[in-house]
């Protein structure tokens, strides 16, 4: 994905967040002290609540599998040249900087390229960053449904050959608290310190 497309996709994502903010979705429940985050607080949003997708071992996963951990969910693909490897590298650094709390972080990677991202490919890809990271592989129909629910954009961009295509896609991450509730929309490029700070706040609450 080139920088121009990445910026366009981030702007699209930001538009969804603006709607959420206008509706007051970033405000914590009544009577609770509002937490301050670096990412966009979308607590109470009525989308991206859950999923049911197979991992690289063929096991069906849902948010319930990761209760007790903060979850960072990202949509991407293994042949992405920039945004995806950068995000996964940063998340590996985030986990490391969380110290002993790193075991309470679960990173999920939903492929937008299931045709090429086989279980074998994604096991190797996740392993290159952190063996604990979990790849989720939707069928084409499941991908369309989950992308709609998560308000995620993805589009195949033809290459010189049938197999050399690329994928434009949204570049942000969704962050869930230890109870499996959607809390944050983290834009691409925010940096490691920003994410570490936000996750520490969620883990402490």
């Amino acid at each position: 994905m080139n920088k121009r497309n990445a910026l366009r996709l981030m702007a699209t994502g930001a538009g969804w967040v603006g709607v959420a903010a206008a509706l007051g979705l970033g405000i914590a429940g009544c009577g609770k002290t509002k937490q301050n985050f670096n990412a966009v607080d979308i607590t109470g949003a009525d989308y991206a609540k859950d999923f049911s997708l197979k991992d690289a071992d063929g096991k069906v996963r849902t948010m319930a599998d990761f209760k007790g951990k903060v979850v960072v969910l990202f949509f991407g693909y293994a042949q992405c040249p920039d945004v995806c490897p950068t995000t996964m590298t940063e998340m590996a650094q985030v986990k490391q900087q969380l110290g002993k709390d790193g075991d309470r972080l679960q990173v999920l990677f939903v492929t937008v390229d299931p045709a090429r991202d086989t279980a074998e490919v994604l096991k190797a890809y996740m392993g290159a960053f952190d063996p604990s990271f979990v790849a989720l592989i939707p069928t084409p129909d499941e991908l369309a449904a989950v992308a709609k629910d998560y308000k995620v954009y993805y589009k195949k961009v033809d290459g010189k050959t049938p197999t050399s295509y690329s994928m434009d896609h949204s570049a942000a991450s969704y962050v869930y608290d230890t109870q499996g509730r959607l809390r944050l929309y983290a834009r691409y490029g925010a940096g490691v310190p920003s994410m570490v700070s936000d996750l520490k706040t969620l883990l402490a609450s």
Side-chain angles (χ1 to χ4, degrees):
M1 182 190 310
N2 58 42
K3 293 182 178 179
R4 183 177 63 185
N5 284 335
L7 290 172
R8 175 170 59 81
L9 294 173
M10 283 188 282
T12 301
W16 288 112
V17 174
V19 172
L23 295 175
L25 297 180
I27 299 175
C30 296
K32 296 182 181 179
T33 302
K34 190 181 187 315
Q35 295 169 307
N36 293 316
F37 296 103
N38 297 297
V40 180
D41 188 343
I42 54 174
T43 302
D46 62 353
Y47 61 93
K49 291 183 178 182
D50 205 348
F51 55 83
S52 179
L53 300 171
K54 288 183 179 180
D55 64 18
D57 291 318
K59 180 181 178 180
V60 176
R61 300 290 199 134
T62 68
M63 281 302 303
D65 292 322
F66 309 107
K67 189 172 183 179
K69 295 185 177 184
V70 290
V71 172
V72 177
L73 185 149
F74 179 81
F75 288 79
Y77 69 113
Q79 294 193 42
C80 177
D82 40 35
V83 172
C84 302
T86 297
T87 299
M88 291 298 102
T89 297
E90 289 184 347
M91 289 312 306
Q93 294 171 355
V94 167
K95 181 180 178 181
Q96 184 178 36
Q97 291 188 24
L98 285 173
K100 63 180 182 180
D101 282 335
D103 290 338
R104 300 175 65 197
L105 165 66
Q106 181 61 62
V107 174
L108 302 179
F109 183 94
V110 182
T111 179
V112 296
D113 186 17
R116 293 184 300 187
D117 283 351
T118 63
E120 182 179 8
V121 166
L122 288 178
K123 281 183 179 181
Y125 190 69
M126 293 292 97
F129 301 105
D130 190 287
S132 72
F133 291 3
V134 173
L136 300 173
I137 310 174
T139 64
D141 287 344
E142 288 173 339
L143 175 58
V146 75
K148 181 178 180 180
D149 183 47
Y150 276 71
K151 304 187 187 300
V152 165
Y153 171 87
Y154 69 98
K155 182 180 179 181
K156 181 178 178 179
V157 180
D158 291 336
K160 293 182 179 180
T161 67
T163 59
S164 67
Y165 62 87
S166 62
M167 298 292 296
D168 276 355
H169 62 93
S170 301
S173 299
Y174 292 91
V175 182
Y176 296 78
D177 64 21
T178 57
Q179 299 302 309
R181 297 171 298 201
L182 178 61
R183 300 296 301 277
L184 304 174
Y185 179 93
R187 295 187 179 96
Y188 172 70
V192 172
S194 174
M195 180 66 81
V196 170
S197 176
D198 285 351
L199 296 187
K200 284 183 175 180
T201 298
L202 288 176
L203 287 168
S205 62

